[in-house]
Every structure is written in structure tokens, then in C-alpha cells.
Amino acid sequence: RDFSPGKRNRFVLRLFLKAAQMYLVYLKEINKVVDGLEDKLQQEAAQTNDYREGVEAFLQKRSPIFKGE
């Protein structure tokens, strides 16, 4: 086998690029899961009294009074 510095560097670079590519695929999958969870939680939050109070307060240009509901 040829273990000259040039061949080693190219090999290490290929390994690094493959690892980076795999990491990006992993991040895309995680992002899909997080996006789905975020959508679900926002839909749930939009059903609360505090959400309605926040929107009303914003439209009326006043501070909201949240009750934890």
C-alpha cells in the first residue's frame, strides 16, 4: 500500500467529506421531526385563552393579561 502523505491527505479528506454529508442528511431528518412538533404545538397553543388574549391585546395595543389558560 502507498501511505504517502498526499494519498493519506486525500483519504482523510474523503472521509471528512463523507462524514459531513452524512451529518447533513441527519440534520435534515431531525429538522423534519422538529418542524412537525413545532406545528403541532403551535396548533395546540392557538386554542388557548392566553393565545386569544395575546392577539386581542396586540390588536388593542395594550399589555396582555395572561392567566395560564
Side-chain angles (χ1 to χ4, degrees), residues 36-46:
L37 180 59
E38 181 182 13
D39 290 345
K40 182 180 183 307
L41 293 174
Q42 285 202 10
Q43 288 172 6
E44 287 180 20

Side-chain angles (χ1 to χ4, degrees), residues 18-61:
K18 184 63 178 175
Q21 181 183 34
M22 291 171 67
Y23 182 66
L24 289 175
V25 169
Y26 171 76
L27 287 179
K28 285 180 184 178
E29 292 302 313
I30 292 295
N31 198 36
K32 287 179 191 176
V33 171
V34 169
D35 283 348
L37 180 59
E38 181 182 13
D39 290 345
K40 182 180 183 307
L41 293 174
Q42 285 202 10
Q43 288 172 6
E44 287 180 20
Q47 304 302 314
T48 65
N49 289 331
D50 279 345
Y51 176 84
R52 284 186 279 284
E53 168 61 15
V55 171
E56 286 180 26
F58 175 79
L59 294 173
Q60 296 171 6
K61 298 183 188 245

Side-chain angles (χ1 to χ4, degrees), residues 2 5-6 8-10 16 19 21 47 54 57-58 60 63 66:
D2 181 7
R8 272 192 311 235
N9 290 343
R10 284 191 295 276
F16 174 78
Q21 181 183 34
Q47 304 302 314
F58 175 79
Q60 296 171 6
S63 295
F66 295 122

